[in-house]
Amino acid sequence: MTTQRSTDRQHKPVTLLGLGPMGMALAETLVQRGHPLTVWNRSPEKAGGLVAKGARLARTAAEAVAASPVTLVCLTDYDTMHKVLEPAAEALRGRCLVNLNSGTPAEAHAAVAWSGERGVRYLDGAVMVPPPMVGEPGAVFLYSGSRDVFEELLEPLTNLGDPRYLGEDPGLAVLYNTAMLDMMYTTLNGWLHATALVGSAGVPAQRFAELALGWFMPTVVDYAALARQAPDLDAGHYPGTLNTLEMNLNALDHITRASQEQGIHSDHPRLMKEIAERAVAEGRGGQNYLAVYELFKKATPRP
Ligand SMILES: NC(=O)c1ccc[n+]([C@@H]2O[C@H](COP(=O)([O-])OP(=O)(O)OC[C@H]3O[C@@H](n4cnc5c(N)ncnc54)[C@H](OP(=O)(O)O)[C@@H]3O)[C@@H](O)[C@H]2O)c1
């Protein structure tokens, strides 16, 4: 009892709404780090294990919100957050609200407006790791919006993972989140499509992995080299000294035709080829491949 009291004095009480796989990982970590935790979930039975570890289960979202100076929300999306929080809005007035579900920048801005109208101190966030990594070294959480709220909550936020504050624009956390997921899915699709291509000749993924992931990706694609070229993207500088877009277009044509010949899905390389063709049509054929960045910055032309 004495230990619990001293822990309560040291760690900010936190309320958490949402006990899906991610919410559960957040809750387990907060309890483990000694935060007095109040939880609410649509399906209350999920809280059983947490209550056994000392968390308090509230009967309503409003009751949960009233228990702590800060409420973390980890529900499916912003629509769900609004649905759950609307009846708890009065209890939230004057308190901090940190949203950790995924979404879009426009939804983050709408959440700021909703909070502002109700006197709620809002911070937007995004979780960049899967549930088992929460609280572990290497876990990064993104935040944007009110710097005051971020700094005030640094202790509980740091207990969840390395908190990166991206700026006052509240849309930045989810924007970075979607951008990195964009990169993740594109990379995964590259690996899966390439594996299907060699698989069409009976090569098992396990054999291809050794060369493709063990050597090609780190050595030829080389993320460190991409980072060194980032200033060129900012400057719009694409010298075609070592490779040109014309040459890369040839390679993209080969990937598309090989996919068709081997009887596998060919939309993915065809789209990459069409993008490079458009860049060439814009007069960028003599620039290097990174010049497709100029196309990606513009909305897709619609016929
Ligand atoms: N899981 C991951 O690997 C991961 C990684 C990074 C970010 N995220 C983000 O974290 C957020 C939560 O994800 P999650 O994995 O925990 O699972 P999820 O399935 O996206 O969210 C489940 C949570 O939302 C609640 N919920 C859904 N619809 C509801 C409704 N109509 N009314 C009230 N509550 C509702 C669920 O309640 P019930 O328990 O009652 O169904 C549960 O608490 C998402 O935005 C996700 O994109 C997840």
Side-chain angles (χ1 to χ4, degrees), residues 60-108:
T60 64
E63 185 187 308
V65 163
S68 315
V70 52
T71 292
L72 307 184
V73 178
C74 192
L75 297 161
T76 302
D77 50 27
Y78 285 85
D79 283 349
T80 312
M81 180 188 84
H82 287 296
K83 198 172 146 209
V84 167
L85 287 185
E86 196 57 65
E90 206 37 56
L92 264 176
R93 188 173 293 278
R95 297 178 200 267
C96 295
L97 172 65
V98 183
N99 176 44
L100 287 172
N101 56 240
S102 312
T104 69
E107 288 173 325

Side-chain angles (χ1 to χ4, degrees), residues 18-22 41-43 46 75-76 80 83 101-102 127 131:
L19 293 176
M22 182 52 75
N41 195 49
R42 178 180 60 176
S43 315
K46 289 190 184 168
L75 297 161
T76 302
T80 312
K83 198 172 146 209
N101 56 240
S102 312
V127 188

Side-chain angles (χ1 to χ4, degrees), residues 141-241:
F141 281 55
L142 307 177
Y143 297 99
S144 59
S146 167
R147 183 183 282 277
D148 288 348
V149 175
F150 174 75
E151 285 175 358
E152 194 174 312
L153 301 180
L154 211 46
E155 187 241 350
L157 300 186
T158 302
N159 280 329
L160 296 174
D162 178 3
R164 305 283 181 96
Y165 179 74
L166 301 172
E168 296 279 346
D169 175 352
L172 282 175
V174 286
L175 188 61
Y176 269 61
N177 175 256
T178 49
M180 284 192 264
L181 291 178
D182 175 5
M183 202 161 68
M184 179 183 85
Y185 287 114
T186 311
T187 308
L188 283 175
N189 279 359
W191 153 243
L192 296 172
H193 189 270
T195 306
L197 191 51
V198 293
S200 67
V203 179
Q206 207 175 334
R207 191 182 322 151
F208 185 51
E210 188 268 324
L211 200 59
L213 300 179
W215 166 75
F216 184 74
M217 288 298 280
T219 311
V220 178
V221 178
D222 185 6
Y223 294 146
L226 287 183
R228 284 196 298 277
Q229 287 172 295
D232 284 347
L233 300 187
D234 292 331
H237 180 58
Y238 311 107
T241 33

